Amino acid sequence: MRVLRTLVASVVLLLFGFSSVHAQAVSATTGAINGRVTDNTGAVLPGVTVTIASPSMMGTRTAVTNPEGQYRFPAIPPGVYQITYELAGFGTVKREEIRVTLGFTATVNVELG
């Protein structure tokens, strides 16, 4: 019984160690973009469609802001990005030349008017 517990504990530690190494490897080969979207009064805007595009990425990726107006694009390839923000009743906003490097998170906060 003691040997079985030791074996199970060893397997669990090995799995956690592997996931930690994997997470470090991903962050070392990618970057991220995150931010917060508000209106012109400073109120957060949930439900904003945020789209990123870059020549270093195949196609586009889309996220929607959460109830706190926040969005995140984790594990994206390094490159120069264009970000588009859209929400019905507001003008579309674009941010260009957003540079993401290895292990770097670009924080891009936007106000929709």
Side-chain angles (χ1 to χ4, degrees):
M1 184 69 160
R2 184 176 182 164
V3 171
L4 180 60
R5 273 189 258 169
T6 303
L7 180 63
V8 169
S10 297
V11 169
V12 168
L13 287 173
L14 180 65
L15 290 175
F16 280 117
F18 176 74
S19 64
S20 173
V21 168
H22 177 69
Q24 289 173 355
V26 168
S27 68
T29 60
T30 62
I33 297 174
N34 67 17
R36 187 174 184 192
V37 183
T38 59
D39 67 11
N40 58 5
T41 69
V44 297
L45 291 175
V48 176
T49 300
V50 183
T51 305
I52 62 171
S54 173
S56 64
M57 188 175 70
M58 293 178 67
T60 61
R61 284 179 55 186
T62 302
V64 176
T65 56
N66 67 16
E68 290 80 37
Q70 300 170 336
Y71 67 93
R72 179 162 173 75
F73 293 96
I76 58 174
V80 178
Y81 285 82
Q82 176 183 16
I83 311 173
T84 305
Y85 303 84
E86 300 174 290
L87 182 63
F90 291 87
T92 298
V93 172
K94 291 188 181 198
R95 294 288 185 258
E96 298 190 14
E97 299 294 318
I98 306 301
R99 295 189 186 281
V100 175
T101 57
L102 294 176
F104 176 72
T105 299
T107 300
V108 184
N109 298 320
V110 172
E111 180 182 293
L112 296 184

